[in-house]
Amino acid sequence: MNKNRWLMALAAVGVHICIGSVYAWSVYVNPIKDTMHWTLTDVTIAFSIAIFFLGLSAALMGKFVEKNGPKVSAIIAAVLFGLGTAGSGLAILMESKLLLYFFYGVLGGCGLGIGYISPVSTLVKWFPDKRGLATGLAIMGFGFASAIWGPTIKVLISEVGVASTFIILGAVYFVVMFASAMYLEKPEEGYLPEGFKKKVEAGHKTLKTDLAILGLHEAVKTPRFYGLWLMLFINVTCGIAIIGVASPLLQEVLGVSALVAAAAVGLMGIFNGAGRIFWASLSDYLTRPVVYIIFFATQAVAFYVLPSITEILIFQVILYFIMSCYGGGFASIPAYIGDIFGTKELGAIHGYILTAWAAAGLVGPLIISRVKDLTGSYAETLYVFSGFFVVALVISIAMLANIKAHEKKQVIAE
């Protein structure tokens, strides 16, 4: 096979950097409100539907991705996401909220879900020696996308208007995603990179065997599946919380201006993206269970102390650390799935685990608003989430114990 695995990683980044533009949705909000005279709720619903269908399509289409391969799946994602974005321009021209919800929310959301899982399971198979690095690279593209598309969307809207911006970017996303999809391909069974293969044969490296080789229906019957689901759910719920309240929290706790708070929030996206590659790569050396224990132990402390920090520099360091863990949690999950369930149906299992993202998107903001209403303070919400991380820490330790026990059984059986 003549494919280069690093170009395969680049193709995966190409898909993810396009679908990650969903994180730049907020740039559209005011222009759509001003152009259409719709309410904030009217506009926000489109984004909420897109995230819901991301989770739903990732879960339902995981089996399809495994059966038909990454190329076919990513092409379908390119068509759906490109059409969904361009169709949103048509919805604006026709002044139809329902069309916007259908194109951006339903079609775009399905493109998001299928596009998210298509390249990831493939990369895990191309990088048996560096699973964390591989998935971190792809998912880093998703995290960094808003830094690229946010300013682009802003410039285009000022030049050509909202509707034309959607249509132009729909075409751009389709071309980039389609070109990336054409390179995606599974490696042959049992593939090992040439350099790594020689080291294994010489006895300098050992090929780590997966804990088990399970399909989706077998995986969902294990406690490890639900452990992963809950770990991702808590990490995303708390991460979304900090993203949602960062600006008012900075103003409330530190008394900074809205402008200073906005600048600090802008930097959060950089650490979200950087955390994906950093933590996922580190997990190749420390192991996935250990990295998640670090995530939850440190964040339980970070969320608890954050409201009492009055020094802006220390506050920001903690805030950015939290964001790196938020991104790292997303990027390390696919490699963790491969470690404990194998790569047989990794895309399908990953799709089911991603329903935790959709659920967290609904639950996180609800908890924030409820606690804020009851206590009158954003700071109090962080104590609640600190408690959540303690629960996640217990789960992650239980996961490690379960994996160790399973490995011990395998050794005895041999």
Side-chain angles (χ1 to χ4, degrees):
M1 190 173 288
N2 298 322
K3 300 268 183 174
N4 182 295
R5 65 179 185 154
W6 293 102
L7 288 178
M8 197 66 63
L10 187 63
V13 172
V15 173
H16 270 243
I17 216 147
C18 290
I19 59 173
S21 63
V22 70
Y23 273 173
W25 173 255
S26 60
V27 183
Y28 286 116
V29 172
N30 284 337
I32 293 175
K33 276 171 59 188
D34 297 341
T35 307
M36 297 291 100
H37 306 294
W38 294 343
T39 66
L40 177 60
T41 303
D42 290 336
V43 180
T44 305
I45 286 171
F47 177 77
S48 300
I49 294 170
I51 297 300
F52 174 77
F53 273 90
L54 184 162
L56 189 66
S57 60
L60 296 178
M61 294 296 285
K63 279 269 194 185
F64 178 89
V65 171
E66 290 296 338
K67 185 180 176 184
N68 296 281
K71 184 180 292 184
V72 172
S73 307
I75 287 171
I76 291 169
V79 172
L80 289 174
F81 193 70
L83 192 60
T85 307
S88 301
L90 178 67
I92 298 297
L93 289 172
M94 295 179 69
E95 300 184 11
S96 170
K97 276 183 278 195
L98 287 178
L99 272 182
L100 181 66
Y101 299 159
F102 172 72
F103 278 113
Y104 196 87
V106 179
L107 285 190
C110 288
L112 269 169
I114 300 165
Y116 193 92
I117 61 173
S118 293
V120 171
S121 61
T122 304
L123 278 191
V124 170
K125 292 164 189 168
W126 276 100
F127 287 82
D129 54 330
K130 296 184 175 80
R131 281 180 175 174
L133 171 67
T135 57
L137 276 170
I139 295 172
M140 174 190 69
F142 196 93
F144 274 134
S146 62
I148 296 166
W149 298 115
T152 305
I153 291 164
K154 201 169 183 179
V155 170
L156 278 173
I157 289 173
S158 65
E159 293 294 326
V160 298
V162 182
S164 296
T165 297
F166 274 121
I167 294 165
I168 291 166
L169 289 181
V172 171
Y173 297 152
F174 172 76
V175 170
V176 175
M177 290 175 74
F178 186 83
S180 300
M182 294 309 290
Y183 196 80
L184 291 173
E185 196 175 310
K186 286 181 185 176
E188 67 264 12
E189 198 67 38
Y191 165 81
L192 288 177
E194 208 52 51
F196 184 67
K197 190 177 180 180
K198 284 176 183 172
K199 287 178 182 175
V200 170
E201 287 168 354
H204 300 311
K205 290 270 185 183
T206 53
L207 182 63
K208 189 180 178 296
T209 53
D210 298 326
L211 190 68
I213 308 295
L214 302 180
L216 173 63
H217 297 304
E218 300 159 305
V220 295
K221 293 173 185 172
T222 67
R224 293 183 295 282
F225 175 88
Y226 297 97
L228 284 183
W229 195 97
L230 285 168
M231 283 156 60
L232 184 64
F233 173 75
I234 292 173
N235 201 53
V236 177
T237 298
C238 301
I240 283 175
I242 205 80
I243 288 168
V245 304
S247 179
L249 184 71
L250 278 157
Q251 293 172 65
E252 181 185 294
V253 176
L254 300 177
V256 299
S257 69
L259 192 65
V260 171
V265 170
L267 277 170
M268 285 168 61
I270 304 296
F271 284 90
N272 179 358
R276 292 168 191 244
I277 188 70
F278 172 77
W279 288 110
S281 300
L282 191 63
S283 75
D284 285 330
Y285 300 96
L286 298 182
T287 75
R288 257 62 74 175
V290 169
V291 162
Y292 275 89
I293 288 169
I294 293 170
F295 282 160
F296 301 136
T298 53
Q299 286 186 96
V301 175
F303 270 72
Y304 187 80
V305 302
L306 203 57
S308 60
I309 303 292
T310 53
E311 174 55 53
I312 189 163
L313 188 62
I314 298 170
F315 191 98
Q316 284 182 283
V317 167
I318 295 172
L319 193 63
Y320 298 146
F321 173 78
I322 289 168
M323 285 317 302
S324 80
C325 292
Y326 172 72
F330 273 118
S332 304
I333 277 284
Y336 205 158
I337 294 168
D339 292 346
I340 62 178
F341 298 125
T343 58
K344 179 183 169 186
E345 290 190 1
L346 195 151
I349 298 167
H350 187 208
Y352 264 54
I353 298 255
L354 284 180
T355 57
W357 185 2
L362 296 172
V363 174
L366 279 176
I367 294 172
I368 300 163
S369 53
R370 183 69 180 150
V371 175
K372 172 73 166 68
D373 288 343
L374 289 172
T375 64
S377 168
Y378 282 112
E380 297 296 324
T381 63
L382 299 191
Y383 296 131
V384 173
F385 289 118
S386 177
F388 275 29
F389 276 122
V390 172
V391 174
L393 177 61
V394 172
I395 294 168
S396 62
I397 293 168
M399 281 284 286
L400 179 59
N402 183 286
I403 290 165
K404 292 289 183 191
H406 202 81
E407 286 173 339
K408 198 174 179 182
K409 270 188 204 171
Q410 287 176 331
V411 170
I412 293 167
E414 288 167 7

